[in-house]
Amino acid sequence: MQSNTSIKLPLAFILYALTAFVASQLILFINNDVLTTGQFRIPDIWMGAHFLVLGYAVMIAMGAMYQLIPVALLAPIWSQAFGFIQFIVTAIGITVFSLLLGVSPDHAFYGGIIAVAGIIMFIIQMLVTILKQKNKNMMTAFILGAISCLFLTIAAGFVLAWNLAEGRITSHGAILSSHITLGVSGWFTLLIFGFSYKLVPMFSLSHGFSMKWAKPAFLTYISGLLILIGSFWTKTQFIDSIGWFVLLAGFFFFVLDIREILAKRLKKKLDKPFSFSLIAIINGLGVHVLAFVFSFYGIQEVAVWGWLIFLYVMGWIIFSILGYLYKIVPFLWWTYKYSNKIGKEQVPTLREMINETYSVILFTLFIFSIAGLSIGGLLYINIMVYVFQGLLALASLLYMLSIIRVLTK
């Protein structure tokens, strides 16, 4: 996983992201009474959600791409200096935007301008880097698809923030649904698909797999996104169900490839953090099944879909990131600090950088918290939401401290 990128660049994104992750969970914990009602479209929840999705997930994804793109595509990052500037602009933008969503939504537009500028800088960085790749492959397609969805997501988000201030657009609901779909199911899912084709074989020591379902997974999932977004604008239930079914098919094709990769692994006993990322894949498939079933039977209750989106974000996207990050950060830090000292002095092994027992406890706490919080929210049980959101906030804090602990070794 070595690349030409200075470790300071991805670590800057990762450390900011972990701080935003803890902040998001504390904000949601403070507003647990609102979560119980199933009302997600209020300023305080917007603030917590954007610290989670933009501040944590997007910034982690950006940091990971700065490290993994040179490895996966064999193309050096265009400009690391530009990358540091982009980090500063994006971090300021996301922080200001998320805070304003909570305290003054009418002025969030101004923070959004800075965040959008930072994200566009990132998109430019990635596109110029990808153009340097000599031999394009399916991973290139997934990354380009994800970046395209990211651009459309921020464009829709910019329009939404402007509309909160001006209130001139009547199709606010369709834009909001498109914004969520492009960001959650488009940008994040396509990106995780693409990098999983690199990370799963690497962490499981797999060889000789075909990736025969990669192209069908990509084309089918993109088609599902287009159909589903079309249903938001046409307000047609039948098209909505078709869209969810096609998305489910695309995700299933991806699962078939992952199953083949794992079947051809040399490492029979998988590391616990990596296993957590594999659990996330099962969660993602399960949520796709539920979404199709709910759509097919015409279930439109806002609270149900709100908690389903929550399950998808936490159980698929966040779990994937948490699992992969717990493997990537120790490897990056060990390579940076100790790789040149082998044979010259005693250095810790990579396994010693990771506390497997601690990771099992930590990830079990995440699973337990998400399950309890979802059940409590769906049943409108305030005490369950209070307790399990508190546990989730605690788990996020302990996770951040465990990553920081690695960086002190």
Side-chain angles (χ1 to χ4, degrees), residues 249-316:
F251 202 102
F252 182 71
F253 293 149
F254 164 72
V255 171
L256 290 178
D257 265 344
I258 297 299
R259 187 180 68 170
E260 182 193 356
I261 292 171
L262 293 175
K264 296 187 176 182
R265 71 184 189 271
L266 298 176
K267 191 173 185 178
K268 298 305 178 184
K269 186 178 180 181
L270 300 175
D271 296 332
K272 298 300 187 297
F274 174 54
S275 298
F276 189 66
S277 294
L278 297 179
I279 292 173
I281 295 175
I282 299 173
N283 293 341
L285 182 63
V287 173
H288 274 82
V289 172
L290 289 175
F292 169 66
V293 172
F294 290 170
S295 175
F296 184 80
Y297 285 102
I299 297 175
Q300 298 180 353
E301 188 176 345
V302 174
V304 172
W305 282 97
W307 283 106
L308 193 65
I309 293 172
F310 170 81
L311 273 176
Y312 191 73
V313 170
M314 295 300 299
W316 158 237

